[in-house]
């Protein structure tokens, strides 16, 4: 399968997940772990492509470099979400390191702890903590669901 088709497929999945989150969807633990596996494959593949581009082909492509940055960012923030939501059981030292890393990214609920649910005034009646991102125009405060 050519590299561009792998990228188009992967980014289509990530975009669909993002649109679902913006629409208020909540995903189960198995889904997040599957997404983590996919973005981990993506970031490993991108690093292999970086190596090939720098040391074998000896040429840089601006489009490729943008894809590398975006893929690494998607991996990083998917991993942070999974650490915060404690989707995977972690040994003590790794859990402490995850708390420290997640703390630098606006996490009010470090990995291994449960967020305190607060009532939301959204029309769907879900509970959760307010997202740290600004609310969308005309939509009020968004809420994040924790499982």
């Amino acid at each position: 399968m050519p590299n561009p088709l792998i990228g188009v497929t992967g980014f289509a999945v990530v975009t669909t997940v993002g649109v679902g989150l913006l629409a208020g969807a909540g995903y189960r633990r198995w889904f997040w772990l599957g997404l983590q596996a996919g973005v981990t494959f993506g970031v490993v593949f991108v690093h292999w492509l970086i190596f090939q581009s720098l040391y074998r082909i000896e040429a840089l492509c601006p489009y490729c470099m943008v894809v590398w940055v975006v893929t690494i960012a998607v991996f990083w923030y998917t991993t942070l979400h999974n650490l915060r939501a404690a989707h995977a059981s972690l040994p003590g030292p790794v859990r402490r390191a995850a708390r420290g890393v997640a703390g630098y990214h606006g996490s009010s609920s470090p990995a291994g702890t449960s967020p305190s649910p607060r009532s939301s005034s959204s029309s769907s009646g879900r509970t959760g903590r307010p997202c740290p991102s600004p609310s969308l125009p005309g939509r009020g405060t968004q809420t994040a669901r924790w499982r």
Side-chain angles (χ1 to χ4, degrees), residues 65-126:
M65 292 187 290
V66 169
V67 169
W68 300 343
V69 170
V70 170
T71 303
I72 292 167
V74 167
F75 169 78
W76 180 252
Y77 285 103
T78 301
T79 303
L80 281 178
H81 169 77
N82 285 328
L83 291 174
R84 286 182 192 144
H87 288 306
S89 57
L90 301 172
V94 176
R95 188 179 317 118
R96 283 189 294 279
R99 280 189 189 130
V101 170
Y104 285 105
H105 289 275
S107 173
S108 63
S109 173
T113 63
S114 297
S116 58
R118 287 180 263 176
S119 240
S120 169
S121 60
S122 68
S123 60
S124 64
R126 290 189 305 265

Side-chain angles (χ1 to χ4, degrees), residues 33-46 75 79:
L33 292 176
L35 184 63
Q36 183 68 54
V39 299
T40 300
F41 167 78
V43 83
V44 169
F45 186 59
V46 156
F75 169 78
T79 303

